[in-house]
Amino acid sequence: MNTAEILDLKKILSTPKKVVIVPHKNPDGDAMGSTLGLYHYLEKLGHSATVIAPNDYPEFLKWIPGTESVVIHEKELAVADALISDADLIFTLDFNALHRCGAMGIPIENSKAIKVMIDHHQQPDAYAAFMYSDVTMCSTCQMVYHFIEKMGDLDLIDTAIGEALYTGIMTDTASFRFPLTTSTTHRVIAHLIDVGVEKSKIHNAVYDTNSFGRLQLLGCALNNLRFLEVFKTAYISLSNKELDAHGFEKGDTEGLVNYGLSLKGAKFAVIFIEHKEESIIKISFRSKGDFDVNAFARTHFHGGGHKNASGGRSNLNLEDTIANFISILEDYKLELNS
Ligand code: 5GP
Ligand code: MN
């Protein structure tokens, strides 16, 4: 978004507007943090804003200020669709293509609202009138901070906005350790701490609320870990039966894929999770260094994301998906060993 576009948006936002803010389906910390951070900012400017999530999100994010006002599209279809079609503006956050918000993509596409994208994923679709896309950013939450900065409103950042944005920067960088974490990221975090964000409270709320079942599921996942040394690839699988046996709840599998990547010598880590309702295998890909898992997911598994973190799916069963994956790895053997 250039200066002229910011001025245009500033003009549009100079009078009260009806605004809808949308995260991607199966919202994570960055999706909920960025939408709720922007929500508090726009409400402060005097707009009437609503965050509409395509479906529900994990309990460990339900303390973020503003959570109680979030509308879940899947649960409140009529209310959500009316808000979308009446909106003057729709902000879409933390995703790069409308199909990433599931069934909500259609009403958004049909709405006459001005669309604004704020996102850090590769190869964004051009559906928005205003596009703030930057793949060098560690998180959409950091981009919302820079958006507020571009609007000249950094002094409006308070604890509520700060807590929301801190959450997504923390989760998308795995607590400030992934490569896209920059000195600027730390300066943004410093500002958020200065406005009253209690960092330990947020780390505890997100990471230290494991249920017994989730820790047992972690044990099961680690037990299922396999390492294909010739491909420098680690993978984990979780069947529906295993998920059921440990009382699986939304969010329980978040971050499990990173254990594979923590294995000495692993360059590529994958988790395959059986989704019974959707009859698909949901796959998460993570890599270290130059191995591009965005390209890998796009080419072979109907997905995408970032260079070092992406997702996709398979319509085969769990066993066949893994066999197919291993056969594909042959073509990447040289690259994975370079
Ligand atoms: P996760 O593995 O945590 O679900 O996703 C990793 C990253 O890839 C996230 O940034 C997520 O938004 C993106 N991603 C996950 N699944 C898909 C997908 O099916 N398509 C695209 N384009 N991106 C995905
Ligand atoms: Mn993100």
Side-chain angles (χ1 to χ4, degrees):
M1 214 179 283
N2 59 34
T3 312
E5 288 174 307
I6 283 289
L7 288 175
D8 281 351
L9 250 187
K10 244 183 123 77
K11 200 165 157 205
I12 292 166
L13 290 169
S14 66
T15 54
K17 291 287 183 293
K18 286 176 280 184
V19 185
V20 162
I21 310 169
V22 184
H24 54 76
K25 197 174 170 192
N26 301 321
D28 59 5
D30 193 31
M32 290 318 298
S34 60
T35 51
L36 285 168
L38 183 67
Y39 160 80
H40 289 296
Y41 167 63
L42 292 175
E43 284 276 317
K44 257 189 154 170
L45 290 182
H47 304 291
S48 166
T50 312
V51 173
I52 307 181
N55 60 350
D56 208 355
Y57 53 100
E59 285 297 318
F60 62 76
L61 298 173
K62 289 194 174 166
W63 61 271
I64 302 175
T67 285
E68 63 292 341
S69 68
V70 174
V71 173
I72 308 288
H73 185 258
E74 211 175 66
K75 292 185 187 167
E76 297 174 72
L77 211 57
V79 175
D81 281 344
L83 284 165
I84 293 167
S85 75
D86 281 353
D88 300 310
L89 280 121
I90 299 178
F91 282 78
T92 69
L93 268 57
D94 200 36
F95 64 89
N96 57 357
L98 284 180
H99 68 81
R100 294 275 295 128
C101 53
M104 238 176 116
I106 293 155
I108 292 174
E109 196 164 12
N110 292 338
S111 169
K112 62 195 180 319
I114 299 166
K115 280 139 212 157
V116 187
M117 173 200 284
I118 304 180
D119 179 55
H120 65 141
H121 292 90
Q122 308 260 353
Q123 296 150 282
D125 282 357
Y127 60 80
F130 293 91
M131 268 177 85
Y132 176 24
S133 160
D134 186 346
V135 301
T136 70
M137 286 284 161
C138 68
S139 58
T140 301
C141 278
Q142 186 177 327
M143 296 179 73
V144 169
Y145 179 95
H146 294 313
F147 174 71
I148 297 172
E149 188 174 34
K150 286 172 200 278
M151 295 285 285
D153 286 329
L154 276 188
D155 55 328
L156 291 185
I157 292 189
D158 57 14
T159 317
I161 298 174
E163 289 186 336
L165 299 185
Y166 187 102
T167 302
I169 297 175
M170 177 187 84
T171 56
D172 258 27
T173 59
S175 301
F176 321 110
R177 69 190 183 90
F178 284 163
L180 294 180
T181 312
T182 62
S183 59
T184 304
T185 307
H186 284 282
R187 273 188 283 273
V188 168
I189 287 295
H191 181 188
L192 302 184
I193 292 171
D194 285 343
V195 300
V197 170
E198 292 176 56
K199 58 188 190 313
S200 303
K201 186 185 97 174
I202 297 182
H203 285 260
N204 287 338
V206 174
Y207 295 121
D208 297 344
T209 52
N210 282 316
S211 64
F212 189 75
R214 187 184 186 224
L215 290 181
Q216 296 280 104
L217 185 67
L218 168 63
C220 175
L222 293 179
N223 204 42
N224 292 350
L225 175 69
R226 298 288 176 274
F227 186 44
L228 305 170
E229 208 166 348
V230 285
F231 303 119
K232 296 195 177 350
T233 298
Y235 71 89
I236 292 172
S237 63
L238 284 172
S239 68
N240 197 69
K241 205 172 149 195
E242 289 166 326
L243 294 167
D244 276 352
H246 301 101
F248 169 76
E249 282 183 50
K250 204 170 256 303
D252 280 356
T253 57
E254 205 111 326
L256 293 183
V257 63
N258 294 318
Y259 284 95
L261 208 57
S262 74
L263 200 64
K264 191 175 178 183
K267 248 191 191 174
F268 185 22
V270 186
I271 188 166
F272 301 93
I273 301 169
E274 191 173 15
H275 272 240
K276 205 175 170 192
E277 317 94 76
E278 296 183 50
S279 319
I280 59 158
I281 308 299
K282 173 78 181 87
I283 315 172
S284 292
F285 302 99
R286 300 291 186 271
S287 69
K288 273 190 179 147
D290 286 336
F291 189 67
D292 184 347
V293 294
N294 168 51
F296 189 91
R298 271 175 194 268
T299 309
H300 304 289
F301 292 98
H302 318 282
H306 313 279
K307 188 175 149 200
N308 295 121
S310 70
R313 76 198 85 97
S314 156
N315 297 315
L316 303 174
N317 68 30
L318 190 55
E319 202 177 305
D320 292 347
T321 298
I322 294 170
N324 178 41
F325 169 73
I326 294 173
S327 72
I328 292 168
L329 281 180
E330 281 295 340
D331 292 339
Y332 293 86
K333 196 170 176 179
L334 267 180
E335 196 181 335
L336 286 163
N337 280 286
S338 66

